[in-house]
Amino acid sequence: MASSASPDGVAEGNTAAPGEAPRQTFRRQDGTNVELVTFPPGDPENPRNWPLWRKWSIVAAIAFIDLTVSFAASGFSPAASKFSKDFGVSSEVATLGLSMTVWGFALGPMTLAPLSEYYGRSPIYIASYGTYLFFVLGTALVQNLGGFLILRFLSGWFCAVTIANFGGTIADLFEPHATGIPMSLFLWAATVGSPLGYFLFSFVAQYRDWRDVFWALLGICGGAWLIMTATLKETRHSILLLRRAARERKERRTDAIEVPDSMKQRGPRELFKSALTRPFRFLFTEAIIVFGALYNGYLYGLSFLFNGAFSLVFGMGGHGFNTTGVGLCFLGIVVGISFGPFTNLWQERYYQQRIAAAGGRNMPEARVQLGKVAAVVFPISLFWFSWTTYKSVHFIVPIIASAFWGWSFYTLILMTYTYTEDSYKVYSASALAGLGLVRNIAGGGFPLFAKQMFMNEGYQWAGSILAFLAILLVPIPFILERFGRALRLRSPWAKQHMDDLAEDEMPSGSKDPSLVL
């Protein structure tokens, strides 16, 4: 197997050492032949050929890390009132403890993702998340507001390593049409972490000082880091092939062994220029990314807005619950989100059937069927929640509504991610970075106006405003199904993958499955 890109020169043919799969060779301009190192079919060093237990152990370890990333943000919310009293600040200023972390999530991936091209995924996972642990420690000890907010921002920045690399890790380990189930697990962790974090840490916040929330967080995250460190192996194809080429050059004492051009490391200037500029190009020029960003920004904004809204609806001013009681109310969202991966099994089966019927050709539009249902459920669940927040209505009714919201939240986020990945493939890292930027800017901003909105407009009309805005987004999955192919044809990036066959999407030695920035 060979790359579509090659070292300077012309193709010569195939060569191999005895007992090895044939390799394509190229002739340099100086007349010397160069062997291209790729993964031949069945190569045990190719992460896609690893045993399933190893693949899924890596996915599970990183999914656990991703779960704790959201804990890092929402785990503080139940302790925010104690924090505001301790530092003598308003509740809005205390909410910045949540917002600063989420804004760190927005910028982290744009700087951390490029580093994996040089150092591999494993070192970035381990070093970045390990650095984050020191910031959590500092947050538990800090004595001034400015230092606290800076540490919260840096915590978000460095623990966002899973946001930066998990999609690439899944692409490293699984064939393109087999990424649906592992991606659904990743997005379950990414969506359930916020309500689950509020629930878990409400027990600490109820009975202990706000600093103990961060000590508990440090214990959980430290354990997750140890599990990840013991489980991870390098998965990035370009790094593995570069190592193989270097090893063979040393063993055979020749420099005529290289990797395909698409696997070579780019210069830092080019790498960071792409990482910092291309996501904005996608956001401003690609209709598919605009649609996805609208859903991601609004849904994640609401997920963090609920931290403040629930404390009003179910807290002492509403149904009269204490901190732990409010935390328990978040289980409705947790249950709804957790139901999502099971309903996604139907979506995945439908997708595989459509792909098989199309001869294995690329068909992102087959990803939106369940998303159409979720788009309708989304505003209905918000109206339901809004108009059952009266104290005279049993508290379980709005909690049930929140479960339906949680399901629609998960399903719509999964739809946008899988549709984007299928559409842009090797460029999807930049496309998803654009989605992530919007989602986390909105996620940090929404909590800042949650309490004022619900207090000034009333719980019912505040929720209804959110529901009316959700109605405006309902057409998106229907538009993608009907006009998605035309939108992809108009894209200079997506049109390169219009009818990719499953076996041609990522041939050995071609573009790095880590998803080019």
Side-chain angles (χ1 to χ4, degrees):
M1 293 291 201
S3 169
S4 57
S6 63
D8 292 337
V10 296
E12 280 292 301
N14 292 323
T15 184
E20 293 182 358
R23 284 182 178 171
Q24 188 163 353
T25 61
F26 285 83
R27 178 173 293 176
R28 288 174 174 161
Q29 292 180 349
D30 63 6
T32 60
N33 288 335
V34 178
E35 291 184 26
L36 287 183
V37 176
T38 63
F39 288 130
D43 190 334
E45 292 188 16
N46 184 343
R48 292 184 178 177
N49 296 325
W50 289 353
L52 281 178
W53 68 265
R54 180 171 292 283
K55 292 183 182 182
W56 280 102
S57 65
I58 292 174
V59 169
I62 301 175
F64 184 30
I65 289 288
D66 194 57
L67 195 63
T68 67
V69 169
S70 294
F71 289 178
S74 284
F76 167 71
S77 291
S81 60
K82 289 186 176 180
F83 173 87
S84 63
K85 291 178 182 177
D86 192 12
F87 278 87
V89 296
S90 66
S91 60
E92 289 78 15
V93 173
T95 302
L96 283 172
L98 165 64
S99 296
M100 294 296 288
T101 305
V102 181
W103 287 332
F105 294 166
L107 296 182
M110 300 180 74
T111 52
L112 295 174
L115 295 176
S116 69
E117 183 163 326
Y118 278 91
Y119 303 107
R121 299 201 195 282
S122 293
I124 300 303
Y125 276 125
I126 293 169
S128 180
Y129 197 81
T131 303
Y132 152 72
L133 296 178
F134 286 100
F135 291 130
V136 177
L137 174 64
T139 308
L141 299 172
V142 70
Q143 298 297 321
N144 62 82
L145 178 63
F148 174 82
L149 294 178
I150 291 172
L151 287 168
R152 290 292 282 164
F153 180 76
L154 292 174
S155 293
W157 189 309
F158 280 85
C159 75
V161 63
T162 55
I163 302 172
N165 277 316
F166 203 140
T169 300
I170 291 174
D172 293 340
L173 293 169
F174 298 92
E175 297 295 339
H177 287 335
T179 59
I181 300 301
M183 183 58 73
S184 73
L185 176 62
F186 162 54
L187 289 175
W188 171 82
T191 52
V192 82
S194 178
L196 185 60
Y198 195 110
F199 162 69
L200 292 176
F201 289 94
S202 67
F203 290 90
V204 182
Q206 175 70 49
Y207 302 106
R208 307 285 296 186
D209 183 70
W210 67 268
R211 296 182 187 275
D212 290 323
V213 166
F214 291 100
W215 288 116
L217 182 66
L218 181 62
I220 294 173
C221 295
W225 182 81
L226 290 174
I227 293 171
M228 177 180 67
T229 302
T231 304
L232 278 188
K233 286 187 64 176
E234 184 55 55
T235 64
R236 188 174 179 117
H237 292 200
S238 61
I239 293 295
L240 295 174
L241 290 176
L242 285 166
R243 290 175 181 174
R244 175 181 286 186
R247 183 173 66 247
E248 292 191 13
R249 284 194 294 267
K250 182 178 180 181
E251 292 173 351
R252 295 165 58 181
R253 298 181 180 179
T254 177
D255 64 351
I257 300 173
E258 295 187 15
V259 297
D261 283 352
S262 59
M263 293 287 179
K264 291 180 178 179
Q265 292 175 333
R266 293 174 287 174
R269 183 175 180 179
E270 178 189 356
L271 191 60
F272 279 92
K273 180 180 179 181
S274 295
L276 296 174
T277 61
R278 190 179 286 170
F280 292 98
R281 292 174 63 190
F282 274 80
L283 275 173
F284 291 119
T285 62
E286 295 289 304
I288 292 171
I289 302 306
V290 172
F291 287 148
L294 287 172
Y295 257 135
N296 273 261
Y298 195 53
L299 285 162
Y300 270 94
L302 290 179
S303 74
F304 290 112
L305 176 146
F306 283 147
N307 287 5
F310 271 43
S311 66
L312 293 174
V313 173
F314 299 107
M316 291 301 178
H319 285 281
F321 296 160
N322 60 16
T323 302
T324 303
V326 174
L328 287 167
C329 293
F330 278 90
L331 289 180
I333 299 178
V334 171
V335 170
I337 292 173
S338 298
F339 192 60
F342 294 100
T343 57
N344 182 60
L345 295 175
W346 176 87
Q347 170 64 69
E348 185 66 19
R349 184 168 64 250
Y350 174 84
Y351 170 77
Q352 296 295 344
Q353 290 172 350
R354 290 286 302 276
I355 291 296
R361 295 190 180 278
N362 190 31
M363 190 178 293
E365 289 71 38
R367 296 282 195 188
V368 306
Q369 298 308 303
L370 210 55
K372 293 188 296 183
V373 179
V376 176
V377 171
F378 176 26
I380 291 174
S381 65
L382 287 175
F383 279 121
W384 179 358
F385 176 82
S386 303
W387 292 96
T388 57
T389 54
Y390 291 105
K391 296 179 185 179
S392 58
V393 179
H394 195 280
F395 65 83
I396 197 63
V397 180
I399 290 176
I400 293 173
S402 73
F404 280 89
W405 180 86
W407 177 82
S408 65
F409 172 35
Y410 169 85
T411 303
L412 288 167
I413 293 297
L414 180 61
M415 178 199 74
T416 61
Y417 266 65
T418 53
Y419 190 95
T420 299
E421 283 205 335
D422 284 359
S423 296
Y424 294 97
K425 296 191 181 295
V426 298
Y427 301 107
S428 62
S430 293
L432 292 175
L435 298 186
L437 183 67
V438 172
R439 105 185 187 192
N440 289 310
I441 289 175
F446 275 43
L448 296 176
F449 63 77
K451 287 191 175 182
Q452 295 91 331
M453 181 179 181
F454 274 74
M455 293 294 292
N456 294 336
E457 303 298 330
Y459 300 169
Q460 294 75 37
W461 282 109
S464 294
I465 291 171
L466 300 174
F468 283 123
L469 292 173
I471 290 176
L472 299 178
L473 304 179
V474 169
I476 288 177
F478 297 90
I479 292 173
L480 291 177
E481 182 183 48
R482 178 67 178 84
F483 302 106
R485 182 174 176 84
L487 292 174
R488 289 188 289 125
L489 277 170
R490 293 172 56 186
S491 167
W493 296 287
K495 71 180 180 181
Q496 298 179 35
H497 304 287
M498 289 299 298
D499 295 306
D500 282 353
L501 292 171
E503 61 269 24
D504 294 333
E505 289 172 358
M506 200 64 62
S508 291
S510 77
K511 292 186 186 295
D512 187 354
S514 57
L515 310 175
V516 178
L517 281 164

